[in-house]
Amino acid sequence: MARVLIIGAGGVGQVVAHKCAQVDEVFEHITLASRTKSKCDKIAAMLPRKIDTAEVDADDVPQLVKLIEKVKPDLVINVALPYQDLHIMDACLEAGVHYLDTANYEPPEEAKFEYKWQWAYQDKFEKAGLMALLGSGFDPGVTSVFTAHAKKHHFDRMQTLDILDCNAGDHGLPFATNFNPEINIREITANGRYWDNGQWVTTKPLEQKRVFDFPEGIGEKDIYLLYHEELESLSKHFPELERARFWMTFSANYLKHLEVLQNVGMTGIEPVEFHGQEIIPIQFLKALLPDPASLGPLTKGKTCIGNIIRGTKDGKDKIYYVYNICDHQACYREVQSQAISYTTGVPAMIGAKMMLEGKWMKPGVWNLEQLDPDPFMADLNRYGLPWQETWLDQAFQ
Ligand code: NDP
């Protein structure tokens, strides 16, 4: 039985709070803290059991340490924004508690997704006898565990990995992002990048497109190559991979809006002066766009996220596809959130459970693919993200 402090009361924080509250045999005591306490209180009021709430600025390390010392959690679950990762890791070290997040650190002034800043904490966490689990969402997170599962059970050698992230949901609005608009747009408007024979190949944003026929009635969708942070850790931890790529679906309508916003400078991250005040265009855009949390009741349809891996087993070539299908409306019925927040929040709860049950607990800084995939895969089926596996005749080109 453990105590957890969840930081961040956005779309993902709401799901993590719900899922932890459902598993009371592990999460005995829950505190939900964020910059705006009223958001924590609103979530707390939806839950099946009582939790504590608190206000905290997670960029203020002394304030965080004070809160951690008051709450006395065994683990801090960070589902604030990637900008807060290092501050929360510092506070965990100072207060002597374990750490988990769902997205790697990103400096606010530069759209750069790299693990180097967090991997640099390896020695500090190890020496303190504490664990930091990095990227326990869906992608990264479940896609990382899917890769470890494929290697453990289905391949002697993996050659190519393609992660396919499809959101076939429709919220009926002209334009909205499914999670934090600033983080989402920064990710999509950045150059694409993939791992190819020991080096990174850079592509222009959304330059490479394919069409893939997704299972369970989702059907054919356009899918675009993006850089995604798990490519860095997976190519490091599975050096046998000759190629590793990440793909995401976008509708023509979404891309049309994004192109116009980009062309007029609304997605910029550099400050501009407006009526004597400095504003960052993408932050102003965020203020105009629908709050992702408000999409829950509106979104219909499914997500399908999974890995296609080509490799060999017992001398035979194999193409393996492992994926999860998640229904937006079913998520809403269960936790009042759409599937994007759900598919991130459930793995955050499971990662926390793995640590607190001792199945994954070891000092240091770890990505999920470095740990035994079996208990995590079992819990995906148990807690709302069942997975399917199949063998394909054709490789993903
Ligand atoms: P939201 O923007 O909905 O929520 C972020 C929350 O963090 C808000 O409650 C916000 O508070 C709070 N916050 C921001 N800054 C601070 C601060 N300085 N101190 C305290 N709280 C703060 O984001 P999401 O819930 O959609 O995403 C949460 C995280 O999950 C992000 O890091 C995102 O990158 C990650 N993610 C990971 C995915 C994966 O599959 N691995 C997929 C989707 C998201 P306030 O409301 O006051 O602004």
Side-chain angles (χ1 to χ4, degrees), residues 249-363:
T249 60
F250 300 105
S251 68
N253 175 60
Y254 184 93
L255 294 179
K256 180 185 77 185
H257 279 79
L258 191 64
E259 190 186 351
V260 174
L261 291 169
Q262 249 187 308
N263 284 345
V264 299
M266 281 298 288
T267 59
I269 61 174
E270 297 295 328
V272 293
E273 197 167 306
F274 181 72
H275 287 206
Q277 200 186 335
E278 277 207 335
I279 57 167
I280 295 177
I282 199 167
Q283 290 180 355
F284 178 65
L285 176 63
K286 176 177 186 263
L288 299 177
L289 291 175
D291 176 359
S294 70
L295 303 177
L298 304 174
T299 311
K300 298 187 173 71
K302 292 173 182 168
T303 61
C304 175
I305 316 176
N307 297 11
I308 298 179
I309 297 168
R310 183 170 57 78
T312 52
K313 176 82 175 171
D314 301 326
K316 289 201 186 93
D317 288 340
K318 289 171 101 181
I319 304 160
Y320 172 71
Y321 184 28
V322 54
Y323 59 88
N324 160 262
I325 301 256
C326 195
D327 183 278
H328 284 287
Q329 286 180 297
C331 297
Y332 191 72
R333 280 193 296 275
E334 186 192 331
V335 298
Q336 288 87 57
S337 296
Q338 31 82 349
I340 305 298
S341 305
Y342 191 88
T343 53
T344 310
V346 173
M349 181 280 284
I350 298 174
K353 180 171 174 285
M354 294 292 108
M355 291 170 71
L356 295 168
E357 287 179 333
K359 291 177 180 151
W360 277 8
M361 186 53 84
K362 56 178 182 175

Side-chain angles (χ1 to χ4, degrees), residues 7-14 33-37 39-40 56-60 64 78-85 88 101-104 106 135-141 165 178-181 183 187 228-229 286 291-293 305 340-341 343-344 347:
I7 301 181
V12 178
Q14 177 168 322
S34 195
R35 189 164 49 189
T36 317
K37 185 171 175 289
K39 291 194 182 174
C40 304
V56 74
D57 176 0
D59 288 320
D60 181 336
L64 273 173
N78 166 18
V79 281
L81 297 180
Y83 315 129
Q84 277 83 53
D85 288 3
I88 300 178
D101 67 31
T102 65
N104 72 8
E106 195 183 323
S136 192
F138 206 106
D139 40 351
D165 180 335
N178 293 298
F179 67 99
N180 185 288
I183 305 295
E187 184 174 80
H228 226 239
E229 61 202 55
K286 176 177 186 263
D291 176 359
I305 316 176
I340 305 298
S341 305
T343 53
T344 310

Side-chain angles (χ1 to χ4, degrees), residues 37-80:
K37 185 171 175 289
S38 58
K39 291 194 182 174
C40 304
D41 293 333
K42 197 170 154 212
I43 294 171
M46 299 175 185
L47 301 181
R49 67 184 164 107
K50 194 183 165 310
I51 66 163
D52 288 344
T53 60
E55 181 176 315
V56 74
D57 176 0
D59 288 320
D60 181 336
V61 177
Q63 207 187 103
L64 273 173
V65 172
K66 217 165 131 196
L67 177 67
I68 296 172
E69 283 171 350
K70 183 170 160 229
V71 172
K72 297 189 176 36
D74 299 284
L75 168 70
V76 171
I77 301 178
N78 166 18
V79 281

